[in-house]
Amino acid sequence: FVIKPSGVPYDDLTPASMVPVSLETGEVLEGDLRPSSDTPTHRELYRQFPTCGGVAHTHSEYATGLAQARRPVRCMGTTHADHFRGDVPVTREMTRAEVESEYEHNTGVVIVEAFREGGIDPEEVNAVLVANHGPFSWGTDAHDAVKASRILEFLARMETRILAMAPGAPRPADHLVDKHYLRKHGSGAYYGQK
């Protein structure tokens, strides 16, 4: 996979400055630039989520705020359900040992753990909030991962407003969430054009 080089400003990035990394070993395959410090996290997501073809990590304002508050982005309506089939989870806090040894790899491990232990399909909810850190999203390619990040930030902004206006607001019924998600995703999808 390829990833941005560490510390290089976005305005200076070109396709040639991307750093190729071995999915198997994590070693840089060519060039003189060091890869992003988050490379081990991305690598873990590529390795553990089979349909992952692109990963995005941001520190967008509202999603990061919820991550730092250790609150998931709850599925509170059809706007959310059009994109994610359920809550966007927040990971558990990382232990001292996880932070002090292989921190970036362990960030990926706690993400995968949140999905496995929560019974969440990473294809149906392709985003997560890392506790006290920020959001990660993924998709079939880089474009899809960035799109998920943008949608996540919009939904996080809505969630923050819902929590302020009506913290005890009822959630939608599962059948409504499923209807909105499945009409756009999966083999029976019928939304949009062929």
Side-chain angles (χ1 to χ4, degrees), residues 86-185:
D87 296 354
V88 175
V90 63
T91 68
R92 64 171 172 79
E93 180 182 18
M94 294 176 70
T95 66
R96 177 183 294 272
E98 289 168 329
V99 171
E100 291 178 352
S101 175
E102 298 185 32
Y103 169 66
E104 290 83 3
H105 169 76
N106 287 326
T107 300
V109 169
V110 298
I111 291 170
V112 173
E113 174 188 284
F115 280 75
R116 292 205 173 130
E117 290 186 3
I120 304 166
D121 184 335
E123 288 185 52
E124 293 178 344
V125 178
N126 57 324
V128 67
L129 303 178
V130 176
N132 305 113
H133 186 155
F136 283 81
S137 62
W138 51 90
T140 55
D141 57 27
H143 176 77
D144 201 28
V146 170
K147 179 180 175 184
S149 287
R150 293 175 60 123
I151 292 166
L152 176 62
E153 178 60 11
F154 175 77
L155 295 171
R157 189 167 56 245
M158 285 179 42
E159 171 68 347
T160 301
R161 289 176 177 159
I162 292 167
L163 288 169
M165 290 185 295
R171 290 171 169 266
D174 289 343
H175 62 268
L176 181 62
V177 171
D178 289 345
K179 179 65 174 182
H180 269 261
Y181 182 82
L182 294 172
R183 72 184 187 153
K184 287 188 170 186
H185 307 274

Side-chain angles (χ1 to χ4, degrees), residues 16 18-21 27-33:
M18 295 295 116
V19 181
V21 176
E27 299 297 320
V28 172
L29 297 174
E30 64 183 62
D32 297 328
L33 296 174

